[in-house]
């Protein structure tokens, strides 16, 4: 298992260090794991004046999987857009062809009271958001800021989805649904956007190959509302890049903390990049208070999707559960009055439970 480790910025290095401890524990148990570190994001800019240095992309291309922390920091906010840390992330996603982004939102029974919703609305919640990751308005050309004939300046972006892009992610969605409860909701804005009308047409067509899956469609504004009204109605949510960006942050809050949400971004051959859904949280970086569980759970997803080791994935997930059952909490998931532990201590506890 050749893994590229890209800690990135902010809390990235500290949370990734905990996930690396988990990988090292698995290695001392006999798994053949090879890890190599490289820079991305602001760290890439600092080291090589590029948020995705060539050496990093090359290492990622030569590895079976990538473990990533997070990118971004205040000191980079005023750089020109191509140099900004986020570009490193967008370029590695595009460069590796990682079009299928899986963001599971699961509520652990131990954390049901940390959710921003009432326990009865979220207890037992288990949603899989599948976000298309390499198309849409994120990558559409042309884009920029231009001056119109009347002298006024205008910002513009282009939203588009080609048929093949929609088809391949729809197939992934139906295949995931087949392994779960055979229910998929495709989210779009087909009442306004042509791109969405086309998206709906193609998803409906692909559905014919999966007659056992019950497909529904929902407008994104309604989906945002339904996620906080009755989230348990959802099983698999399939959506485009920008809607998926927004809905997955919303869904994370149902689970108690965005610090609990892992993700997998896969190419057509299950090569993947694994990262927590949260950002680099520069305000708490270096204080040893970040929650490493989303990153550790991302390693579980890596074992499941890239290495087809469901047994190890479950072993890691069980270790995380045990740690929570022991009452161990970082600040973001601690209920009032509960003692809090730091990032490192949480990583150690998971390794011990493993
Ligand atoms: C995410 C993030 C990224 C995105 C940013 C950091 C570019 O918000 O992974 O959801 O918008 O995709
Ligand atoms: Mg986001």
């Amino acid at each position: 298992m050749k893994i590229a480790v890209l800690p990135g910025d902010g809390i990235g290095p500290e949370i990734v260090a905990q996930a690396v401890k988990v990988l090292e524990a698995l290695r001392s148990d006999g798994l053949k794991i090879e890890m190599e570190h490289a820079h991305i994001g602001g760290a890439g800019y600092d080291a090589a004046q590029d948020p995705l240095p060539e050496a990093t992309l090359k290492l990622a291309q030569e590895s079976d999987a990538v473990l990533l922390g997070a990118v971004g920091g205040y000191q980079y906010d005023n750089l020109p857009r191509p140099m900004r840390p986020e570009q490193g992330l967008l370029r590695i996603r595009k460069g590796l062809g990682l079009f299928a982004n899986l963001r599971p939102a699961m509520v652990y029974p131990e954390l049901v009271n940390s959710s921003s919703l009432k326990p009865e609305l979220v207890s037992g919640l288990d949603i899989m958001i599948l976000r298309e990751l390499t198309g849409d308005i994120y990558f559409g050309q042309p884009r920029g800021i231009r001056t119109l004939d009347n002298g006024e300046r205008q910002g513009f972006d282009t939203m588009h989805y080609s048929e093949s892009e929609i088809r391949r992610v729809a197939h992934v969605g139906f295949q995931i649904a087949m392994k779960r409860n055979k229910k998929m909701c495709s989210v779009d804005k087909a009442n306004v956007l042509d791109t969405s009308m086309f998206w709906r047409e193609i998803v409906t067509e692909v559905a014919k190959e999966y007659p056992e899956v019950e497909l529904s469609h929902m407008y994104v504004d309604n989906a945002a509302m339904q996620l906080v009204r009755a989230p348990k109605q959802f099983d698999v949510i399939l959506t485009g890049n920008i809607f998926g960006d927004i809905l997955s942050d919303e869904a994370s809050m149902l689970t108690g903390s965005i610090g609990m949400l892992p993700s997998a971004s896969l190419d057509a051959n299950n090569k993947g990049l694994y990262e927590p859904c949260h950002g680099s949280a520069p305000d708490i970086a270096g204080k040893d208070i970040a929650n490493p569980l989303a990153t550790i759970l991302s390693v579980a997803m890596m074992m499941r999707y890239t290495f087809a080791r469901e047994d190890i994935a479950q072993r890691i997930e069980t270790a995380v559960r045990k740690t929570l059952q022991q009452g161990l909490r970082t600040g973001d998931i601690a209920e009032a009055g509960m003692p809090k532990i730091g990032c490192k201590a949480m990583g150690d506890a998971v390794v011990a439970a493993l």
Side-chain angles (χ1 to χ4, degrees):
M1 302 177 175
K2 188 166 176 310
I3 303 169
V5 180
L6 316 181
D9 310 318
I11 59 171
E14 42 196 305
I15 53 176
V16 164
Q18 308 317 309
V20 165
K21 276 195 225 164
V22 168
L23 285 165
E24 281 165 348
L26 292 169
R27 179 163 60 194
S28 52
D29 260 11
L31 275 194
K32 290 214 168 74
I33 295 175
E34 245 180 75
M35 287 181 264
E36 198 172 324
H37 283 65
H39 296 300
I40 193 166
Y45 177 77
D46 289 340
Q49 289 72 58
D50 186 350
L52 182 63
E54 223 178 279
T56 301
L57 182 61
K58 187 159 175 279
L59 173 70
Q61 280 163 340
E62 289 167 359
S63 304
D64 304 310
V66 180
L67 176 65
L68 194 143
V71 298
Y74 309 129
Q75 68 270 47
Y76 310 111
D77 281 352
N78 295 318
L79 289 174
R81 201 167 54 84
M83 289 297 137
R84 291 189 48 141
E86 293 77 11
Q87 290 302 310
L89 191 55
L90 297 175
R91 279 168 51 204
I92 197 170
R93 288 172 179 171
K94 191 78 174 173
L96 297 178
L98 308 172
F99 66 90
N101 180 214
L102 279 58
R103 299 189 164 190
M106 262 188 57
V107 173
Y108 288 84
E110 294 79 13
L111 298 184
V112 75
N113 291 314
S114 305
S115 171
S116 44
L117 295 192
K118 297 188 195 93
E120 63 268 29
L121 285 184
V122 294
S123 111
L125 181 84
D126 180 1
I127 300 176
M128 178 64 87
I129 297 184
L130 172 59
R131 166 189 178 193
E132 199 289 331
L133 202 59
T134 53
D136 203 355
I137 196 163
Y138 265 60
F139 293 94
Q141 294 290 344
R143 62 189 292 165
I145 299 168
R146 61 191 166 199
T147 305
L148 301 174
D149 288 345
N150 66 6
E152 198 189 2
R153 295 209 306 151
Q154 182 186 59
F156 64 104
D157 293 273
T158 305
M159 175 181 272
H160 56 61
Y161 263 123
S162 57
E163 185 169 342
S164 58
E165 285 177 315
I166 304 169
R167 267 184 200 283
R168 64 180 181 179
V169 76
H171 277 289
V172 174
F174 285 111
Q175 281 155 20
I176 292 170
M178 286 296 288
K179 290 191 197 145
R180 295 171 50 104
N181 295 326
K182 301 192 167 69
K183 247 181 77 183
M184 184 163 86
C185 179
S186 171
V187 172
D188 61 38
K189 188 69 185 172
N191 52 344
V192 176
L193 302 173
D194 283 13
T195 308
S196 281
M197 262 168 56
F198 186 58
W199 172 280
R200 193 176 280 217
E201 180 190 318
I202 302 303
V203 172
T204 305
E205 230 177 85
V206 175
K208 292 186 191 132
E209 295 176 45
Y210 303 89
E212 284 172 61
V213 177
E214 181 195 321
L215 171 69
S216 59
H217 301 275
M218 196 180 279
Y219 298 139
V220 62
D221 49 349
N222 186 21
M225 177 179 73
Q226 296 299 334
L227 269 175
V228 289
R229 191 190 74 89
K232 282 191 260 182
Q233 70 186 279
F234 295 109
D235 184 15
V236 178
I237 293 178
L238 166 70
T239 191
N241 204 345
I242 192 155
F243 299 152
D245 177 45
I246 299 165
L247 293 180
S248 60
D249 263 34
E250 187 188 5
S252 76
M253 271 299 114
L254 309 176
T255 71
S257 167
I258 197 167
M260 293 299 299
L261 250 71
S263 80
S265 306
L266 306 176
D267 76 359
N269 305 310
N270 287 335
K271 174 169 176 161
L273 180 147
Y274 298 85
E275 58 176 327
C277 285
H278 60 70
S280 56
D283 53 323
I284 61 164
K287 296 186 178 160
D288 192 36
I289 57 174
N291 183 350
L293 293 180
T295 317
I296 291 172
L297 290 166
S298 298
V299 173
M301 291 189 87
M302 179 190 292
M303 292 298 154
R304 173 170 295 127
Y305 292 105
T306 290
F307 299 118
R309 289 297 301 262
E310 179 64 30
D311 55 328
I312 300 171
Q314 286 189 17
R315 203 175 140 202
I316 297 170
E317 287 163 352
T318 304
V320 168
R321 273 298 292 282
K322 270 197 193 150
T323 310
L324 294 173
Q325 278 160 5
Q326 288 160 15
L328 300 172
R329 302 282 188 277
T330 42
D332 58 315
I333 48 175
E335 286 172 56
M338 262 182 150
K340 297 172 193 168
I341 63 169
C343 179
K344 274 199 195 103
M346 185 58 105
D348 290 338
V350 174
V351 169
L354 196 69

